[in-house]
Amino acid sequence: MGKVEELFKRSSEIMKKSLAGLDYDKFEIKNISFDYDALLNSVPYDIYEISKIQKEFKVGGTPLYELKNINKIVKKLSKPGYGAKILLKDEANNASGSFKARRASLSVFHAKKMGFKGVVAETSGNYGAAVASQAAQMNLKAIIVQEVFDSKWIGQPEILEKGRACEAYGAEVWQMTVGPELFYMTLLILNETGYFNASLYTPYAIKGIETLGYEIALEVKERYGKYPDYVLVTHAGGGNVTGTKRGLILGGAKDTKVIGVSVDLRGLHMASDRDFNRKSFTTGHTGFGVPFMVKPDRTDVPRNAARPLRYIDDYLIVSQGEVFYTTILLAQIEGLERGPAGNTSLAAAIPLARELPEDKIIVVQETEYTGAGKHPFAQLTFAKKMGIEIVKGNPEQNVPGKKIVIPEDVSELRYEKVDLEEIKKSYLKNALKDINEITKEDLKFLKEEINEKDSDFVERYLYEKGVKIYG
């Protein structure tokens, strides 16, 4: 057996040790199910304790702004009686400049409490900087493993920017080319260092986000006398949707609709050397958003605590050009220069607000810091170098990986609604691969997984595919 095979054979043992004894096997249930609630409840901190921890390490309590100038434009473009109010949760005010600080804070705190000397995370996004920032405050070592370059060693400016941020916070950064070796390298580092696995997908990472939804529920209720009608969440790996909705429920906002929003990169494959640098955003796009919905356990831990289909009420997509336009709009009329992540949701919130009555409230639940590599001009310059056509005009003419069309007016912003039923069917297809019979417990699990507890959606699918239920 080679060294690679030997290491992967020990992955379960390494995972358990690097997660302070968190044993995923004990949550598994015969056939295809696992006890999701028990996995989340294995985190020994409640919402109040998590808020206290985060406050100590400069996380949470971020401002909630009413976007008055954008709202005036929305009202002007809407028919009489329409034009919902848009609020923005300014998560750039967290230490490290994004909501990912909420996700990192609890993992790093728990690592410190359990006596680990350092933390490891594999990520090319803001999460690396968040882990590094939290580790710096808690006097732990941080190692960040990033997928940065294509095979010609060309790096996307936003990812390079995030690598610089990790280093600025004192982290050791391992930068790699796109490919399957990312997980192997992370496993190797965890094994050799004995550090804590601060994965994006552990229950600690998801519980840390719950404070975001919780704060939104309480703040909106206090200020406007009611809970928000809609919360728009930029969707990639599913943690943002999952944690925010769980937090809203904890805060009493059980009927608030959570809408995921991604940038349209359909047709591009994120693991492809050719496509890797033909995107102009590194997160919040369909290249992550759809795969993590239909196959959530494709992660670096045995079971992903982020289960977006359990919590999402609708899924919208916008184009890269619309996000660039919205980024500039937010800076030039609201005085907030922020990175593209939260602006993805804002790009959809504006046309959605035009369709809703004026008494409705929409919350865009994150912003992120911006920097040289995240700036629209850096992204567009890089896109041109990669052969992408950049034009002004109708965003419906946008072609992922080929053409970025930037609108010329707010009235041209629009969104496309994704068919969630087809996404749910794809999830079921993956979950039931090579399975002809399931238990009643499996049926209950599947209905919870795709948020169809009160319908016969799953039963109809099983009947069509000839899958039997026994027991």
Side-chain angles (χ1 to χ4, degrees):
M1 183 184 296
K3 288 185 179 179
V4 175
E5 291 80 6
E6 188 179 343
L7 186 73
F8 277 119
K9 190 178 178 184
R10 295 182 50 237
S11 63
S12 179
E13 168 202 337
I14 296 168
M15 281 293 163
K16 188 175 177 181
K17 185 179 176 185
S18 67
L19 288 165
L22 179 61
D23 185 1
Y24 282 84
D25 289 343
K26 74 179 185 183
F27 304 112
E28 292 296 321
I29 300 171
K30 186 180 176 182
N31 222 357
I32 59 176
S33 319
F34 77 102
D35 192 337
Y36 177 67
D37 291 330
L39 175 64
L40 269 293
N41 291 334
S42 68
V43 175
Y45 312 101
D46 64 24
I47 189 80
Y48 306 107
E49 292 168 314
I50 296 169
S51 293
K52 187 178 177 184
I53 292 165
Q54 292 180 337
K55 186 176 180 182
E56 183 179 353
F57 295 102
K58 309 177 186 71
V59 177
T62 52
L64 181 69
Y65 298 127
E66 188 174 320
L67 298 180
K68 293 182 178 177
N69 292 331
I70 287 180
N71 286 336
K72 283 180 186 172
I73 295 173
V74 167
K75 285 283 291 178
K76 189 175 179 182
L77 293 173
S78 304
K79 62 184 180 182
Y82 281 72
K85 193 188 304 297
I86 302 175
L87 311 179
L88 181 71
K89 186 74 166 163
D90 197 11
E91 287 290 286
N93 283 273
N94 287 310
S96 80
S98 77
F99 90 95
K100 294 289 177 63
R102 297 180 188 264
R103 209 164 182 166
S105 56
L106 196 59
S107 292
V108 179
F109 176 85
H110 191 64
K112 178 76 173 180
K113 183 180 177 182
M114 299 305 291
F116 285 83
K117 302 298 182 188
V119 291
V120 179
E122 65 171 77
T123 168
S124 299
N126 289 326
Y127 187 61
V131 169
S133 164
Q134 292 297 305
Q137 294 182 69
M138 299 184 209
N139 196 26
L140 292 181
K141 299 286 186 185
I143 299 177
I144 308 301
V145 188
Q146 289 188 319
E147 205 171 48
V148 180
F149 306 106
D150 64 14
S151 60
K152 297 176 183 174
W153 293 95
I154 298 173
Q156 211 270 358
E158 187 179 356
I159 299 179
L160 294 172
E161 168 73 31
K162 290 169 179 174
R164 287 192 290 269
C166 294
E167 290 174 340
Y169 290 116
E172 180 179 328
V173 182
W174 288 57
Q175 295 187 322
M176 311 176 67
T177 54
V178 61
E181 63 269 24
L182 185 71
F183 179 62
Y184 167 76
M185 185 57 68
T186 305
L187 199 61
L188 186 67
I189 293 171
L190 287 170
N191 185 48
E192 291 188 351
T193 61
Y195 287 179
F196 186 81
N197 182 4
S199 162
L200 279 158
Y201 305 105
T202 70
Y204 293 95
I206 303 307
K207 295 285 281 188
I209 306 170
E210 289 178 0
T211 54
L212 176 51
Y214 186 77
E215 286 178 20
I216 290 170
L218 298 190
E219 289 171 39
V220 174
K221 182 77 187 310
E222 182 181 3
R223 196 185 301 180
Y224 299 95
K226 68 173 201 170
Y227 293 117
D229 298 286
Y230 301 89
V231 172
L232 267 58
V233 180
T234 299
H235 169 58
N240 204 7
V241 166
T242 302
T244 299
K245 178 68 176 185
R246 290 176 61 87
L248 285 165
I249 294 170
L250 285 170
K254 297 178 181 176
D255 296 326
T256 297
K257 301 291 185 188
V258 167
I259 300 179
V261 186
S262 297
V263 171
D264 182 10
L265 291 187
R266 288 173 293 184
L268 298 183
H269 196 293
M270 294 306 104
S272 158
D273 184 55
R274 178 189 176 278
D275 291 348
F276 184 68
N277 277 332
R278 300 183 76 78
K279 61 184 184 300
S280 296
F281 298 115
T282 61
T283 187
H285 53 68
T286 53
F288 290 142
V290 173
F292 275 97
M293 277 186 178
V294 302
K295 204 172 182 181
D297 292 315
R298 47 188 297 144
T299 64
D300 55 357
V301 291
R303 287 289 194 179
N304 187 356
R307 319 293 292 193
L309 277 182
R310 285 181 176 242
Y311 300 104
I312 200 167
D313 293 297
D314 247 323
Y315 186 28
L316 311 179
I317 55 176
V318 294
S319 69
Q320 294 182 100
E322 287 167 304
V323 180
F324 284 128
Y325 179 86
T326 304
T327 297
I328 294 168
L329 182 74
L330 182 67
Q332 295 192 354
I333 72 169
E334 294 288 352
L336 295 170
E337 188 188 21
R338 298 291 185 263
N343 296 338
T344 300
S345 289
L346 183 57
I350 292 170
L352 178 65
R354 292 176 57 190
E355 299 170 0
L356 296 172
E358 59 188 2
D359 63 341
K360 300 295 182 185
I361 295 176
I362 297 172
V363 176
V364 173
Q365 55 76 271
E366 66 156 315
T367 61
E368 63 167 336
Y369 85 100
T370 191
K374 289 169 174 272
H375 197 276
F377 297 126
Q379 296 283 3
L380 291 171
T381 299
F382 180 75
K384 274 189 175 179
K385 286 182 180 176
M386 300 307 294
I388 311 294
E389 184 183 1
I390 314 288
V391 297
K392 290 182 179 179
N394 183 350
E396 289 182 3
Q397 295 172 349
N398 180 78
V399 182
K402 295 181 179 176
K403 181 190 282 189
I404 294 174
V405 183
I406 301 175
E408 296 185 84
D409 188 81
V410 179
S411 62
E412 292 178 317
L413 293 174
R414 89 288 181 262
Y415 62 80
E416 182 181 337
K417 195 170 181 178
V418 177
D419 187 344
L420 265 186
E421 284 204 1
E422 289 303 312
I423 297 274
K424 290 177 180 181
K425 286 177 182 176
S426 294
Y427 169 89
L428 292 173
K429 181 182 177 182
N430 287 320
L432 295 165
K433 187 178 180 183
D434 301 326
I435 291 176
N436 298 317
E437 286 187 340
I438 64 170
T439 65
K440 288 183 178 175
E441 202 154 23
D442 287 331
L443 175 62
K444 177 174 177 288
F445 173 78
L446 292 174
K447 290 167 80 76
E448 290 172 346
E449 279 282 272
I450 62 170
N451 197 17
E452 291 287 350
K453 287 180 283 189
D454 301 323
S455 79
D456 62 352
F457 186 94
V458 176
E459 287 92 335
R460 284 188 283 114
Y461 182 88
L462 296 174
Y463 178 77
E464 289 172 9
K465 302 300 177 185
V467 179
K468 297 178 181 176
I469 305 166
Y470 68 93

